[in-house]
Amino acid sequence: MRQEAASKLIKALQLIPETMSFILYDGFRPLQVQSFLYNDIKNKIRLKFPQWTIEQIEYETLKYVAFPSIENSSPSPHLTGGAIDLTLGDERGYPLDLGTAFDATEEKSATAYFEKHRSENEAAHINRRILFHCMTQAGFQNYEAEWWHYDYGNRAWARKSNKDQCLYGPIIATIEQNELKEYKFR
C-alpha cells in the first residue's frame, strides 16, 4: 500500500474493538495479477450463466473485479496501491462472520445486504457495520458491491469523496519468475 493509505489503515485499526483484528487479503496488485483475476472471474461467470450475452458477462464481472488497466486516466484501484481488501478477525486472527467468503461473487457480498436482510445473519450485520464505520472514519471509501474492499487516494476514492483528482496513479511493476524486479510510481 501507499504510505498514506497504510497510515489510514493503522488509524482504522485503532478504531475497532480491542477484541478484534484486521486480516488483510490484498493491497497493491501488479497488472499481471489483476489480469489473471479479471479473466478468472469472467470465466467463472461465463460457466455459471452460459445463456448470457458477452455484455451481461462483462457487466457482472465488473461488479467483482476491475478491468486491468494502467492508464493514468483509469487505473485499476489495486494497481494504485490505494485499495485494500480486508476482513475482521478475532483477537487470535481468525476471521469473523461477515456473511460471505472474501471475494464471493453473489448478492450477499454487497456491503449493505444485511441492512435489508438483518434477520438472515445478525453477526454479519454487526461486523460489517464495524468494518465500514472504522474504515470510513479513517478516510477510506467502500466499494458497495464488496464488503471487504476499501479505497483511499485512487480514482474510486476521489469520485466518492467529491475530489477533483485522485492522489495516486498506477504503480508499474516489472515481475519476472514471480519476483518483483522493479516498480515506478505514476
Side-chain angles (χ1 to χ4, degrees):
M1 292 184 73
R2 301 274 187 145
Q3 186 173 351
E4 189 174 358
S7 295
K8 300 281 184 190
L9 185 62
I10 292 168
K11 180 179 177 184
L13 181 61
Q14 294 167 345
L15 296 173
I16 64 173
E18 288 183 19
T19 58
M20 292 182 174
S21 62
F22 281 156
I23 299 170
L24 310 180
Y25 292 117
D26 277 325
F28 166 71
R29 259 188 223 147
L31 181 62
Q32 296 92 325
V33 174
Q34 187 69 28
S35 296
F36 172 83
L37 291 172
Y38 176 83
N39 290 322
D40 184 57
I41 289 175
K42 188 174 182 178
N43 287 332
K44 287 176 181 173
I45 290 170
R46 182 181 297 125
L47 291 172
K48 186 175 180 181
F49 302 103
Q51 73 281 11
W52 281 10
T53 65
I54 293 170
E55 292 79 16
Q56 288 173 305
I57 292 168
E58 186 75 21
Y59 179 81
E60 189 72 9
T61 301
L62 290 172
K63 284 183 187 177
Y64 303 106
V65 63
F67 184 79
S69 171
I70 56 171
E71 296 298 321
N72 280 333
S73 61
S74 59
S76 305
H78 282 282
L79 267 73
T80 68
I84 182 83
D85 292 341
L86 76 166
T87 190
L88 292 174
D90 64 19
E91 55 211 354
R92 297 172 305 171
Y94 293 104
L96 295 177
D97 184 3
L98 278 94
T100 68
F102 157 72
D103 262 357
T105 54
E106 59 184 279
E107 182 184 3
K108 288 183 180 183
S109 296
T111 305
Y113 178 85
F114 291 110
E115 295 296 321
K116 297 175 185 134
H117 304 94
R118 188 175 185 163
S119 63
E120 282 185 37
N121 189 332
E122 182 65 26
H125 175 252
I126 291 167
N127 290 335
R128 285 188 188 188
R129 277 188 166 196
I130 291 169
L131 181 61
F132 178 85
H133 289 294
C134 72
M135 293 297 287
T136 57
Q137 285 176 30
F140 287 89
Q141 292 289 338
N142 173 246
Y143 173 52
E144 55 280 340
E146 299 176 345
W147 59 261
W148 57 85
H149 181 97
Y150 289 85
D151 294 292
Y152 179 79
N154 58 27
R155 188 172 54 107
W157 168 84
R159 187 175 57 250
K160 290 180 183 178
S161 301
N162 296 315
K163 304 286 186 192
D164 291 333
Q165 61 185 28
C166 54
L167 302 175
Y168 310 141
I171 299 171
I172 309 303
T174 303
I175 298 175
E176 295 174 7
Q177 297 179 335
N178 297 320
E179 288 187 30
L180 180 64
K181 296 298 181 184
E182 76 173 298
Y183 60 91
K184 51 187 167 181
F185 298 94
R186 281 197 191 166

